[in-house]
Amino acid sequence: MKKNTFALIGLGVAVLFWLFDSYVHYFVYGEAEFEFIPADLNELWMRIMISVLIVLFGVFADYFTKKLIVKERELKAAHVYNSMVYATHHILNNLLNQMQLVKYEAQKSKDFDQDIIKHYDKCINEAKDLIEKLSSVEEITGDNIWASVDPYNIDLLSTKGKKNEAE
């Protein structure tokens, strides 16, 4: 949509109204001469007020139309984001479930280092926490999405997890 479309339409309608009102006074009311700018101050005042209101209505329509367009774009972006997060959940949940088989086989092996299994569990929990944080982003902006998976926040999650395990 072009900028200020409704305001320009309002301006055009205001000019047409002014001309139409001049014609009505000349032809219908039978005034002696055609007056584009009326000599009667009351008539001039009324035409100016009505014309200004018509133009302001156009400006008002432009403003709220732009707000609606922006809101619609934000809703589309939110829908795409939510779909992406849902798909990511699906893929990662499948991967995490399949990795349980690897963990099970590693636990059965007597030669497998148990510290690696603990590290594996830490990685799995970290991935789950990050997916949860990514899913809980309320205001969908690039900064908020990146902040939800910020490495500094990952460290905070790890320390919180250690505190919860200690308790």
Side-chain angles (χ1 to χ4, degrees):
M1 174 183 261
K2 293 182 181 179
K3 194 172 186 175
N4 301 325
T5 304
F6 290 113
L8 293 174
I9 291 171
L11 182 63
V13 169
V15 168
L16 287 174
F17 161 75
W18 193 286
L19 290 171
F20 178 74
D21 199 40
S22 295
Y23 281 112
V24 166
H25 279 272
Y26 182 70
F27 290 111
V28 175
Y29 297 137
E31 290 185 358
E33 59 184 60
F34 181 79
E35 294 179 331
F36 182 70
I37 298 177
D40 182 17
L41 287 178
N42 187 44
E43 184 62 33
L44 179 63
W45 165 254
M46 293 307 291
R47 282 190 198 179
I48 289 173
M49 285 305 298
I50 291 172
S51 297
V52 166
L53 287 174
I54 291 171
V55 172
L56 286 177
F57 181 74
V59 170
F60 173 81
D62 276 334
Y63 175 76
F64 282 101
T65 301
K66 288 174 189 170
K67 281 183 79 170
L68 285 174
I69 289 170
V70 167
K71 188 70 171 175
E72 183 179 334
R73 287 181 186 155
E74 288 173 354
L75 286 173
K76 283 181 182 178
H79 179 70
V80 168
Y81 175 77
N82 288 333
S83 297
M84 184 271 311
V85 168
Y86 177 77
T88 302
H89 271 267
H90 180 71
I91 292 167
L92 289 176
N93 280 331
N94 284 342
L95 174 66
L96 293 174
N97 287 333
Q98 292 167 3
M99 290 301 294
Q100 292 298 324
L101 177 62
V102 173
K103 180 181 176 183
Y104 176 71
E105 290 298 323
Q107 286 175 333
K108 282 187 359 185
S109 172
K110 293 180 171 116
D111 297 331
F112 200 83
D113 187 2
Q114 295 302 311
D115 289 335
I116 300 294
I117 293 176
K118 289 178 185 175
H119 181 69
Y120 166 85
D121 288 336
K122 179 184 171 211
C123 292
I124 295 295
N125 289 333
E126 183 179 302
K128 287 178 183 177
D129 290 340
L130 287 174
I131 292 169
E132 193 173 299
K133 284 182 68 180
L134 184 62
S135 300
S136 65
V137 173
E138 291 182 13
E139 186 179 341
I140 300 169
T141 63
D143 291 339
N144 289 347
I145 292 169
W146 280 110
S148 73
V149 292
D150 184 356
Y152 175 73
N153 291 337
I154 294 171
D155 292 338
L156 290 177
L157 281 175
S158 300
T159 57
K160 284 181 185 175
K162 288 178 185 175
K163 286 180 185 176
N164 290 341
E165 288 174 8
E167 293 172 355

